[in-house]
């Protein structure tokens, strides 16, 4: 029982959980609940990106050299960590939906949570754990501020805001989750 507690503390999980909870509280208080169905999908994407960004700080330990010399298998722990981030961050809008405003459909939340989590894991590999947040935030900024493209390339670029059930968006999120998790499990931050 001691190992999970130490791991959680070394990966800043209590602070990340607090940020995710505060984000959920802010959305619950500020999101309009007019009973007209789901709110603007950008609100949901912002909540998911904020949660992934907060949790991405824990994708690396205090000392990378110490992590590399540890006599444990890191790959299963890294995969579990990434999947836990995606699950917890995806559960936040679902919980807000139960308590108050309907932010988005569950398939939309699951897809975007998975894709953003994969981007964070990929960011930990490419940019290092302190900057793992850059890829999810960068893709979010591109999606929100760049003009919507047409065709497959436009759908891949704007997958975060496409309606649930869109094949290109689902495949983009799945590829990001699988590739980011696999690279992070093998290479680490």
């Amino acid at each position: 029982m001691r190992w999970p507690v130490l791991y959680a503390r070394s990966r800043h999980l209590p602070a990340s959980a607090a940020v995710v909870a505060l984000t959920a509280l802010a959305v619950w208080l500020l999101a309009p609940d007019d009973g007209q169905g789901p709110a603007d999908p950008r609100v949901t994407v912002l909540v998911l990106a904020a949660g992934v960004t907060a949790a991405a700080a824990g994708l690396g330990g205090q000392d990378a050299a110490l992590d590399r010399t540890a006599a444990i298998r890191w790959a299963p722990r890294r995969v579990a960590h990434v999947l836990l981030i995606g699950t917890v961050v995806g559960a936040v809008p679902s919980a807000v939906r139960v308590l108050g405003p309907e932010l988005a459909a569950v398939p939309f939340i699951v897809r975007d949570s998975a894709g953003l989590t994969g981007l964070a894991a990929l960011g930990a590999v490419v940019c290092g754990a302190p900057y793992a947040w850059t890829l999810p935030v960068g893709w979010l900024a591109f999606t929100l501020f760049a003009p919507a493209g047409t065709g497959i390339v436009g759908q891949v670029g704007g997958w975060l805001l496409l309606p649930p059930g869109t094949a290109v968006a689902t495949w983009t999120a799945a590829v990001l989750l699988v590739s980011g998790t696999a690279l992070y499990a093998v290479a680490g931050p």
Side-chain angles (χ1 to χ4, degrees):
M1 185 63 177
R2 183 171 164 84
W3 182 85
V5 172
L6 292 175
Y7 181 80
R9 286 181 49 206
S10 73
R11 303 296 179 176
H12 310 291
L13 291 182
S16 296
V19 170
V20 170
L22 286 173
T23 302
L25 179 65
V27 168
W28 181 67
L29 291 173
L30 300 175
D33 187 16
D34 54 6
Q36 301 286 334
D40 186 359
R42 293 178 292 187
V43 174
T44 303
V45 173
L46 286 171
V47 170
L48 293 172
V52 168
T53 300
L59 290 174
Q62 302 294 328
D63 186 3
L66 182 62
D67 283 356
R68 278 191 224 105
T69 59
I72 59 174
R73 292 173 30 111
W74 278 108
R77 288 169 177 81
R78 289 179 181 147
V79 169
H81 191 154
V82 170
L83 295 178
L84 181 65
I85 289 172
T87 303
V88 170
V89 168
V92 168
S94 299
V96 169
R97 179 182 169 158
V98 169
L99 298 173
E102 183 178 351
L103 294 179
V106 173
F108 181 88
I109 293 169
V110 170
R111 181 196 70 202
D112 284 9
S113 174
L116 287 169
T117 302
L119 274 171
L122 189 61
V125 174
V126 174
C127 306
Y131 304 106
W133 58 269
T134 56
L135 292 182
V137 169
W139 202 309
L140 173 66
F142 175 79
T143 301
L144 292 177
F145 298 114
T150 58
I152 299 294
V153 174
Q155 288 182 339
V156 169
W159 68 272
L160 281 167
L161 295 177
L162 291 177
T166 306
V168 173
T170 304
W171 278 104
T172 302
V175 166
L176 289 172
L177 177 65
V178 170
S179 62
T181 303
L183 284 172
Y184 177 69
V186 172

